[in-house]
């Protein structure tokens, strides 16, 4: 069966520090991968999605970047965090063939202080 | 941009009652999906309804879709305290944007025992 791992679960970082959040998927090949951000009490904002290795689409201009060094690995990064980067970050995958429902990781709560 | 908008933003009911949540969207869709999120966790897929379907059932869940009104509803029958969560609709647009899944802001459901 397929599983998705996202870590860390919580992170407190000072303004100006770098960020690296990692997500890996097991049990499937060539998934579509996604990073979403959820502000407190709000909906989900799509940040990045990837349909293949080194194929990243950015949905909003921001202080963040994403990379997909391996088929089932998706990394969210920042060189210098801003206060506004605080939020709940969710990684998700989707079967490339059916392209229907998303499977989410457990999320990372990021607080930038 | 926010495609789906849920209504109401919050709903509080007694255990055993039915809960109805609505979702409106703006553009033509391939399918519409409903997800559930427990506090501080990732989202879990509940049900998907395609644009050529009008109603779908899954256990205590009933989803309707009216493409002429660009709206959907999620009905949870005989609610339980364990149904307390936030519920999100998500739309998959037709055509080139089909990789994206756009979420609304959600309805926060509280079921009182």
């Amino acid at each position: 069966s397929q599983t998705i791992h996202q870590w860390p679960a919580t992170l407190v970082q000072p303004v100006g520090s770098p960020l690296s959040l990692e997500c890996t998927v097991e049990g499937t090949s060539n998934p579509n991968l996604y990073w979403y951000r959820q502000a407190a009490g709000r909906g989900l904002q799509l940040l990045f999605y990837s349909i293949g290795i080194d194929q990243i689409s950015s949905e909003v201009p921001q202080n963040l970047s994403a990379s997909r060094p391996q088929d089932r690995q998706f990394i969210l990064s920042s060189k210098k965090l801003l206060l506004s980067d605080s939020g709940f970050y969710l990684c998700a995958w989707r079967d490339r063939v059916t392209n229907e429902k998303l499977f989410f990781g457990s999320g990372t709560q990021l607080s930038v202080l | 941009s926010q495609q789906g908008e849920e209504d109401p933003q919050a709903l509080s009911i007694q255990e055993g009652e039915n809960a109805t949540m609505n979702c409106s969207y703006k553009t033509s869709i391939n399918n519409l999906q409903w997800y559930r999120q427990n506090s501080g966790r990732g989202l879990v897929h509940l049900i998907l309804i395609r644009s050529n379907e009008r109603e779908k059932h899954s256990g205590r869940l009933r989803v309707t879709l009216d493409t002429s009104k660009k709206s959907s509803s999620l009905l949870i029958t005989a609610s339980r305290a364990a149904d307390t969560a936030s519920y999100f609709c998500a739309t998959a647009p037709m055509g080139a944007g089909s990789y994206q899944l756009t979420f609304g802001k959600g309805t926060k459901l509280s079921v009182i025992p």
Side-chain angles (χ1 to χ4, degrees):
Chain A
S1 64
Q2 302 90 0
T3 55
I4 178 168
H5 302 280
Q6 185 181 343
W7 68 92
T10 59
L11 193 58
V12 180
Q13 292 285 96
V15 170
S17 63
L19 172 75
S20 181
L21 302 181
E22 190 162 341
C23 173
T24 59
V25 180
E26 295 177 357
T28 187
S29 297
N30 304 314
N32 291 335
L33 296 172
Y34 300 79
W35 278 110
Y36 283 88
R37 177 170 61 198
Q38 185 177 29
R42 302 292 302 277
L44 276 71
Q45 179 186 34
L46 179 62
L47 300 176
F48 301 94
Y49 69 92
S50 172
I51 62 172
I53 293 175
D54 295 330
Q55 292 180 277
I56 312 286
S57 294
S58 174
E59 289 302 299
V60 291
Q62 61 216 328
N63 187 39
L64 303 169
S65 62
S67 61
R68 185 172 177 173
Q70 300 180 43
D71 179 48
R72 291 171 291 172
Q73 184 184 27
F74 206 23
I75 298 172
L76 183 69
S77 303
S78 174
K79 292 182 179 178
K80 287 186 178 181
L81 284 169
L82 306 172
L83 287 173
S84 58
D85 291 324
S86 294
F88 191 53
Y89 289 82
L90 288 157
C91 180
W93 74 274
R94 199 178 192 187
D95 182 89
R96 175 186 298 271
V97 174
T98 62
N99 199 32
E100 290 186 336
K101 61 185 181 181
L102 283 171
F103 298 90
F104 283 85
S106 53
T108 296
Q109 183 64 54
L110 172 66
S111 299
V112 183
L113 305 177
Chain B
S1 62
Q2 216 79 35
Q3 164 74 309
E5 292 289 340
E6 291 89 346
D7 168 57
Q9 290 186 347
L11 179 62
S12 184
I13 60 173
Q14 295 288 331
E15 201 165 29
E17 294 180 339
N18 296 341
T20 300
M21 288 158 269
N22 302 297
C23 171
S24 59
Y25 58 92
K26 297 176 182 175
T27 60
S28 296
I29 61 170
N30 188 11
N31 64 69
L32 184 144
Q33 304 175 34
W34 285 91
Y35 289 78
R36 167 196 167 123
Q37 182 182 32
N38 285 57
S39 181
R41 307 296 298 272
L43 280 73
V44 176
H45 181 268
L46 294 176
I47 196 166
L48 178 152
I49 187 165
R50 293 184 174 81
S51 59
N52 62 351
E53 297 175 312
R54 291 297 167 257
E55 188 171 312
K56 206 160 183 180
H57 296 255
S58 177
R60 293 185 294 112
L61 304 180
R62 172 178 170 254
V63 170
T64 61
L65 179 64
D66 187 334
T67 52
S68 66
K69 295 181 180 178
K70 291 186 168 58
S71 67
S72 172
S73 67
L74 171 68
L75 168 68
I76 304 175
T77 60
S79 64
R80 305 166 182 168
D83 294 329
T84 294
S86 291
Y87 292 82
F88 295 86
C89 70
T91 50
M94 285 186 168
S98 62
Y99 293 114
Q100 304 172 29
L101 200 59
T102 306
F103 288 79
K105 295 180 181 179
T107 292
K108 189 169 185 177
L109 173 66
S110 299
V111 181
I112 303 165

